[in-house]
């Protein structure tokens, strides 16, 4: 039997590419043909994720008034991009992405909280809400409330999202910080408070 | 600041550590991470202080008596009842002279002849408050920016209107006067 088939170890990895086959052109009782398999093996491609335009959120200074609660007055937000791609490619990774927000040093009683910079006994719980760029079951008007260490499913921002983009454009994500109210005549949160949060975004 | 840089480095390390503890064993893309700081300053309450600004004397000028009761037009003045914190201001009008004259106000001449008058207070919202002598009552503080100068007070401050009662014919001529003292305090 005349058989001349050339395989290479690399070709075994993928048989999806081929070149035109050569075949006998004369009718006979037995016929053979040959074709070549070629494949280029490259390093595995992985999604690449980048966070752009995440800024500090200063909530400002508020004056308490004796006998009055401090509530519904303090809120802050920042818009940022979650841009994606592939290693070695200009294509955009479509998602989904997993996003987790951690508070450095942990929160208070299972919640995010601002802490007194000079007085550790002072604290004020805060709620972090992620708006925009979300997909799946967690997508709902008004945003998704995140808790320390929990994971949200996110959609990437549009490829043209930059640090100057807002939640209303380019599908940038928005993180909103809303401190709890301060009861009347409570000094639980007097002074300078702060917290550092780390955002981690990954592709599965 | 170096302090914050260090904290942020710790944040990044923590984030990565947390991520690696849950990551599957297979090859995975490198996660992206960044951090941000939230700051807030809350100041304790300051003591409520009040200040009365821009109160002027009121002169009615010469009034020529007629054969019947003489009507004297009201005179008004704008002034500020300022308070450093939100809330109302307690106001009390007292007549320093003529202590035993009862609940009404009156100007006097020589301790024998009198001209009664009424005082009304209008707050910045346009609400009218009739004034009784020695009776304390709450009124909204003047609007922010009321500084006691003349012109702006019409829109930001309070107004008092003093209306003398009609002067009967035969009232002895001469100079009638009194001194009104306004005392204010924070209401709560």
């Amino acid at each position: 039997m005349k058989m001349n088939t050339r395989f290479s170890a690399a070709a075994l990895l993928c048989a999806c590419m081929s070149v035109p086959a050569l075949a006998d052109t004369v009718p006979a009782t037995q016929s053979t043909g040959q074709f070549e398999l070629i494949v280029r093996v490259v390093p595995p491609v992985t999604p690449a994720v980048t966070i752009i335009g995440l800024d500090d959120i200063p909530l400002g200074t508020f004056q308490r008034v004796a006998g009055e609660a401090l509530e519904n007055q303090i809120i802050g937000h920042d818009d940022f991009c979650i841009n994606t791609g592939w290693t070695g490619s200009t294509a955009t990774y479509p998602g989904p992405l997993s996003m987790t927000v951690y508070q450095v040093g942990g929160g208070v009683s299972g919640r995010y909280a601002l802490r007194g910079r000079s007085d550790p006994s002072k604290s004020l719980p805060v709620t972090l809400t992620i708006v925009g760029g979300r997909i799946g079951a967690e997508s709902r008007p008004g945003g998704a409330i995140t808790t320390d260490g929990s994971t949200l499913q996110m959609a990437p921002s549009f490829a043209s999202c930059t640090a100057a983009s807002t939640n209303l454009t380019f599908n940038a994500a928005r993180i909103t910080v809303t401190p709890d109210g301060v009861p009347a005549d409570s000094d639980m949160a007097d002074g300078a408070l702060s917290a550092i949060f780390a955002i981690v975004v990954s592709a599965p | 600041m170096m302090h914050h840089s260090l904290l942020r480095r710790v944040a990044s390390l923590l984030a990565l550590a947390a991520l690696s503890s849950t990551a599957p064993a297979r090859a995975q893309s490198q996660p992206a991470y960044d951090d941000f700081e939230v700051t807030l300053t809350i100041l304790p309450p300051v003591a409520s202080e009040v200040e009365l600004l821009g109160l002027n004397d009121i002169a009615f000028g010469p009034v020529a008596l007629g054969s019947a009761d003489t009507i004297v037009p009201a005179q008004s003045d704008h002034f500020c009842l300022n308070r450093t914190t939100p809330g109302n201001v307690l106001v009390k009008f007292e007549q320093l002279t003529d202590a035993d004259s009862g609940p009404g106000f009156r100007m006097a001449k020589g301790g024998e002849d009198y001209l009664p008058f009424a005082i009304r207070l209008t707050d910045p919202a346009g609400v009218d408050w009739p004034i009784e002598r020695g009776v304390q009552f709450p009124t909204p503080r003047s609007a922010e920016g009321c500084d006691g100068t003349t012109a702006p007070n019409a829109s930001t401050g309070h107004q008092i209107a003093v209306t003398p009662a009609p002067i009967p014919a035969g009232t002895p001529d001469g100079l009638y006067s009194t001194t009104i003292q306004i005392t204010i305090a924070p209401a709560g």
Side-chain angles (χ1 to χ4, degrees), chain A residues 16-183:
Chain A
C16 57
M17 301 180 65
S18 65
V19 296
L22 296 176
D24 294 339
T25 56
V26 179
T29 56
Q30 180 175 289
S31 180
T32 63
Q34 62 182 244
F35 62 98
E36 187 174 23
L37 296 176
I38 299 175
V39 65
R40 181 186 302 276
V41 178
V42 297
V45 292
T46 55
V49 186
T50 311
I51 298 173
I52 298 173
L54 182 62
D55 302 309
D56 291 344
I57 303 177
L59 298 177
T61 299
F62 291 83
Q63 176 77 63
R64 276 201 304 117
V65 177
E68 296 183 15
L70 189 61
E71 53 190 11
N72 302 324
Q73 300 175 26
I74 309 171
I75 190 169
H77 72 264
D78 184 55
D79 294 337
F80 60 99
C81 306
I82 304 172
N83 290 352
T84 63
W86 293 97
T87 53
S89 169
T90 57
T92 300
Y93 172 70
L97 303 168
S98 297
M99 187 173 100
T100 308
V101 183
Y102 300 93
Q103 176 167 359
V104 176
V108 175
S109 300
R111 292 190 61 190
Y112 298 122
L114 306 181
R115 297 174 184 276
R117 281 187 160 173
S118 56
D119 184 351
S121 71
K122 306 293 186 184
S123 67
L124 184 62
V126 296
T127 298
L128 301 187
T129 306
I130 309 296
V131 180
R134 288 168 291 102
I135 59 175
E138 290 163 336
S139 180
R140 57 177 180 267
I145 294 174
T146 178
T147 54
D148 200 5
S150 65
T151 299
L152 293 177
Q153 284 229 309
M154 301 288 292
S157 305
F158 296 155
S160 49
C161 189
T162 69
S165 301
T166 69
N167 180 240
L168 301 177
T169 60
F170 305 110
N171 209 27
R174 167 172 292 185
I175 189 159
T176 301
V177 182
T178 310
D180 284 8
V182 178

Side-chain angles (χ1 to χ4, degrees), chain B residues 83-133:
Chain B
R83 174 175 171 163
T84 55
T85 56
N88 288 341
V89 175
L90 293 174
V91 187
K92 184 166 65 174
F93 286 68
E94 292 174 296
Q95 184 167 321
L96 292 187
T97 57
D98 198 15
D100 299 327
S101 61
F105 298 102
R106 63 185 188 180
M107 292 177 270
K109 179 180 78 80
E112 295 178 355
D113 302 309
Y114 303 98
L115 292 180
F117 64 93
I119 301 176
R120 299 186 73 83
L121 178 73
T122 306
D123 68 26
V127 177
D128 230 12
W129 303 80
I131 307 298
E132 290 184 54
R133 186 173 170 175

Side-chain angles (χ1 to χ4, degrees), chain B residues 31-47:
Chain B
Y33 63 88
D34 200 350
D35 59 63
F36 64 99
E37 184 178 30
V38 178
T39 54
L40 167 67
T41 300
I42 297 177
L43 302 176
V46 297

Side-chain angles (χ1 to χ4, degrees), chain B:
Chain B
M1 282 169 45
M2 181 177 292
H3 177 64
H4 289 163
S5 299
L6 182 60
L7 284 175
R8 289 184 175 209
R9 190 171 301 166
V10 171
S12 300
L13 292 172
L14 282 176
L16 283 178
L19 188 72
S20 62
S21 67
T22 57
R26 64 184 172 81
Q28 193 180 34
S29 66
Q30 189 75 354
Y33 63 88
D34 200 350
D35 59 63
F36 64 99
E37 184 178 30
V38 178
T39 54
L40 167 67
T41 300
I42 297 177
L43 302 176
V46 297
S48 295
E49 296 179 337
V50 292
E51 186 178 25
L52 197 158
L53 292 173
L55 189 61
N56 300 296
D57 292 340
I58 295 176
F60 288 91
V63 176
L65 294 181
S67 55
D69 290 353
T70 300
I71 305 297
V72 181
Q75 296 287 329
S76 64
D77 183 38
H78 288 98
F79 62 104
C80 308
L81 299 178
N82 290 341
R83 174 175 171 163
T84 55
T85 56
N88 288 341
V89 175
L90 293 174
V91 187
K92 184 166 65 174
F93 286 68
E94 292 174 296
Q95 184 167 321
L96 292 187
T97 57
D98 198 15
D100 299 327
S101 61
F105 298 102
R106 63 185 188 180
M107 292 177 270
K109 179 180 78 80
E112 295 178 355
D113 302 309
Y114 303 98
L115 292 180
F117 64 93
I119 301 176
R120 299 186 73 83
L121 178 73
T122 306
D123 68 26
V127 177
D128 230 12
W129 303 80
I131 307 298
E132 290 184 54
R133 186 173 170 175
V135 176
Q136 192 178 52
F137 64 96
T139 178
R141 64 175 177 167
S142 296
E144 195 114 2
C146 193
D147 62 3
T149 57
T150 308
N153 290 352
S155 58
T156 61
H158 287 67
Q159 180 186 38
I160 51 170
V162 179
T163 307
I167 303 176
T171 297
D173 59 4
L175 183 65
Y176 291 77
S177 68
T178 190
T179 300
I180 305 297
Q181 176 175 282
I182 303 175
T183 303
I184 66 174

